[in-house]
Amino acid sequence: MAIVLGIESSCDETAAALVRSDRTIVAQRIASQDDAHRPYGGVVPEIAARAHAERLAPMIEAVLADAGMVLGDVDAIAATAGPGLIGGVMVGLVTAKALAMAADKPLIAVNHLEGHALSPRLADATLDYPYLLLLVSGGHCQLLEVLGVGRYRRLATTIDDALGEAFDKTAKILGLGYPGGPAVERLAATGNAKAVPLPRPLLGSAEPHFSFAGLKSAVLRAKQAQVPVQGCVAGSTAQVAAHADADIAAAFQAAALDCVLDRTARAIARTEGMTALVVAGGVAANAAIRAGLEGLAARHGLRFVAPPLHLCTDNAAMIAWAGLERLAQGAFDPLDVVARPRWPLDGQAEPVRGAGVKA
Ligand code: KG4
Ligand code: ZN
């Protein structure tokens, strides 16, 4: 039975994990940098890279100690090699290279998006290729056919913001701080989605692409339209504003979900022979989005698979698992493999008009 050490450092989570080919997560540790980035309202790349450099080596030692193992016991070392914030990616990849060289173990340079894409297979041994994947994270929003390890066909992407980014910007507009997705979800649960009319960009359009920039702008306008209630007794003004914020959060989440369901339905209509509809990435932790997709899958006679919450947001177990899937194919990387800030899963996919242009 193979065991792989996985390392993740592409954004603001420093993580290390040991995963066995029987899908056991033998040990894992994760350190979030939320406190370091909170004052800036988002991830500051230099702060992230420095924090990874300080934390990663002791964390790997701790994970090995948790498992009662030494580096010589692992079969390979897998690290995220992109896409992501390049300083952090380099910290993780250089660490993996040094360990691979010192312990004479194979190095596996993992695409972070492949980590997310295959994470549902770590949690569910019955999930077979090919499956239709909605990959929704802070930097990506894509619909892909997952045909096998390293084999992806992109059906759709966002032409502006990623879904997680839209959640984070909504959180910022509503003053909910960072990280935004879970805070928006919590507030949305207390609001009335129908109280604030918001647009559903690209709803009904032929291609299954996404767009969230217009929705984000509408959230900003809704927030700016709030007027403090005059002449209230002390304390009640804040209460009125908080209520309106909850309605905006609920309306945003409902609009985003409508877009996700409409676009995913379009993609389902374009695929054949998929074993399941699968969601992965940080936004897959959102209960409303999970429930909506589950219903959509049922309406199309598809099985629905979503990883457990701890495997949705960034973690090293999914990197170790992608490493195991690559190890099984003998797909190793040379020690001079480079870190990549951009690394599409489907290298053949055509650029989409408007993609990368931020509103
Ligand atoms: O996959 P991930 O941890 O990092 C990236 O690779 O980007 O995704 C992070 C994103 C953030 O935008 C965060 O706000 C969002 O996932 N997110 C959520 C929830 N939990 C995390 N969005 C909505 N609802 C959540 N519960
Ligand atoms: Zn991620």
Side-chain angles (χ1 to χ4, degrees), residues 112-123:
H112 178 83
L113 300 175
E114 178 154 71
H116 281 301
L118 304 185
S119 64
R121 282 172 48 82
L122 166 57

Side-chain angles (χ1 to χ4, degrees), residues 9 39 46 63 96 108-109 118 190 204 215 220 245 268 284-285 290 310 314 337-338:
S9 60
E46 287 76 13
V63 162
I108 304 171
L118 304 185
T190 67
L215 176 56
L220 180 60
D245 280 355
I268 290 173
R290 287 167 90 98
H310 73 99
D314 287 349
V337 65
V338 291

Side-chain angles (χ1 to χ4, degrees), residues 137-181:
S137 68
H140 297 270
C141 186
Q142 301 183 2
L143 283 155
L144 300 138
E145 284 180 352
V146 181
L147 306 169
V149 185
R151 295 177 53 222
Y152 301 91
R153 193 165 82 89
R154 198 196 70 195
L155 302 171
T157 187
T158 177
I159 63 166
D160 41 57
D161 294 348
L163 182 53
E165 193 178 356
F167 267 93
D168 292 336
K169 286 178 177 168
T170 295
K172 204 167 186 174
I173 291 166
L174 298 180
L176 300 177
Y178 170 85

